[in-house]
Amino acid sequence: MTRYLKLKAYGKINLALDVLRKREDGYHDVRMIMQTVGIYDQIELQRTMKPGIVVETNLSYLPANENNLAYQAARLLLEGVQIQGGLHIQLKKFLPVSAGMAGGSSDAAAVLFGVNKMFRLGLSKEELMEQGVKIGADVPYCILRGTALSEGIGEKLTPLPPVPQCHLVIAKPGVSVSTKYVYEALQADRLRPDQHPDIDGMAEAIRQQDLFKMAGKLGNVLELVTAKKYPVIEEIKDVMRQKGALNALMSGSGPTVFGLFTEPEQARAAYEELRYGSSSRLTKQAYLTEFFNVH
């Protein structure tokens, strides 16, 4: 019997993100190219003698109750299951919070995977993804991971070939963004055709393994809202480009920005500038990493 598991909950970025329309149920139909990156939260699961689910985190401002997505994931799978004792979840956050990198969704996905294994529930990856969408639209992707076309509200996933490897600089400014506000403010039905990112072109560039073409297809329609409200996003993108990035983009609803680099020295220089240099005033957190390809 498995009594302890240590898991990694990887973050994601959006290489391209388009919003098509608002649905009657309040959600939005989207088309996105999702990509896992090499930074992650750490999650430790431990079976306990005492019944119930207990969550502890290393950040005092994060909820440690039913409002935490990791808690919700464990409860979702364990409700109605006859088990002895309970579960302790230790969550060590390293991914930026409320940043457009699906940190909470990835935590939930890791817990779904871990609980399924620990308690021998026998659910397939597809079944875990079906359960995960009940928690959040990004959770199924965070179970799949890698490179994927995401449609519907984010739950319809088509795996794509692994992207060509490159160096990434990821930077989060010191602002918080409400995803609900960004989507509501977008008014997708009023956008011009040229304001929509070329999702099919990005997918084709990935299939061709053309990193330079990929960089030219980066696009996120939500920048129209978030970058307008927070000019620091464009400032960070400018720093990355000045340091040699092929291109830079905001991930998700923001405010995190990432840049693609072919030269490690240029990526390091951008990271140093945003972390320690004069441009560090723009950022709260900065990371130097790569894509995490799992296929």
Side-chain angles (χ1 to χ4, degrees), residues 131-258:
Q131 292 294 315
V133 75
K134 300 174 183 178
I135 301 171
D138 283 340
V139 177
Y141 167 75
C142 293
I143 293 171
L144 178 68
R145 301 198 301 198
T147 314
L149 169 66
S150 172
E151 299 176 283
I153 64 171
E155 87 288 9
K156 298 177 182 178
L157 298 166
T158 304
L160 293 169
V163 294
Q165 196 56 270
C166 70
H167 303 277
L168 291 176
V169 175
I170 298 174
K172 179 186 182 295
V175 296
S176 295
V177 174
S178 165
T179 298
K180 181 178 180 181
Y181 163 79
V182 173
Y183 273 89
E184 291 296 331
L186 180 64
Q187 298 182 321
D189 58 337
R190 299 184 184 181
L191 296 179
R192 302 188 310 270
D194 63 289
Q195 291 178 301
H196 290 278
D198 185 2
I199 303 297
D200 292 331
M202 174 62 80
E204 184 59 28
I206 293 171
R207 293 188 183 100
Q208 294 173 1
Q209 295 292 284
D210 189 333
L211 181 62
F212 291 88
K213 187 175 180 180
M214 278 176 51
K217 295 293 183 180
L218 290 182
N220 183 347
V221 73
L222 297 180
E223 283 190 341
L224 295 172
V225 175
T226 310
K228 182 178 180 180
K229 185 175 178 65
Y230 300 106
V232 65
I233 291 169
E234 288 296 337
E235 293 182 65
I236 294 173
K237 290 169 64 176
D238 287 342
V239 171
M240 291 181 175
R241 292 178 182 132
Q242 290 165 9
K243 292 296 182 180
L246 298 180
N247 207 348
L249 188 72
M250 182 185 82
S251 182
S253 57
T256 295
V257 174
F258 66 91

Side-chain angles (χ1 to χ4, degrees), residues 256-285:
T256 295
V257 174
F258 66 91
L260 308 182
F261 295 80
T262 57
E263 301 299 326
E265 297 83 4
Q266 292 178 334
R268 170 63 65 176
Y271 167 77
E272 295 284 347
E273 173 64 20
L274 289 166
R275 184 78 184 269
Y276 306 111
S278 60
S279 298
S280 62
R281 62 182 174 79
L282 303 175
T283 61
K284 183 177 181 181
Q285 294 163 286

Side-chain angles (χ1 to χ4, degrees), residues 79-119:
E79 274 186 335
V81 176
Q82 296 297 319
I83 63 171
Q84 290 185 342
L87 179 68
H88 182 270
I89 302 172
Q90 181 70 47
L91 173 57
K92 297 179 181 178
K93 292 290 295 182
F94 298 101
L95 292 168
V97 177
S98 301
M101 293 189 68
S105 295
S106 189
D107 296 340
V111 170
L112 289 173
F113 172 86
V115 167
N116 183 51
K117 181 177 181 178
M118 177 173 280
F119 293 94

Side-chain angles (χ1 to χ4, degrees), residues 44-142:
E44 298 177 23
L45 303 181
Q46 187 166 1
R47 295 187 67 159
T48 60
M49 297 295 291
K50 184 178 179 180
I53 300 168
V54 176
V55 176
E56 291 185 10
T57 80
N58 60 330
L59 300 179
S60 60
Y61 54 85
L62 285 182
N65 52 28
E66 63 274 4
N67 295 318
N68 189 296
L69 295 188
Y71 182 102
Q72 293 176 26
R75 181 178 61 186
L76 179 65
L77 291 193
L78 293 177
E79 274 186 335
V81 176
Q82 296 297 319
I83 63 171
Q84 290 185 342
L87 179 68
H88 182 270
I89 302 172
Q90 181 70 47
L91 173 57
K92 297 179 181 178
K93 292 290 295 182
F94 298 101
L95 292 168
V97 177
S98 301
M101 293 189 68
S105 295
S106 189
D107 296 340
V111 170
L112 289 173
F113 172 86
V115 167
N116 183 51
K117 181 177 181 178
M118 177 173 280
F119 293 94
R120 299 179 182 177
L121 302 182
L123 300 174
S124 67
K125 178 183 285 188
E126 291 72 22
E127 289 171 324
L128 288 177
M129 291 165 66
E130 290 174 4
Q131 292 294 315
V133 75
K134 300 174 183 178
I135 301 171
D138 283 340
V139 177
Y141 167 75
C142 293

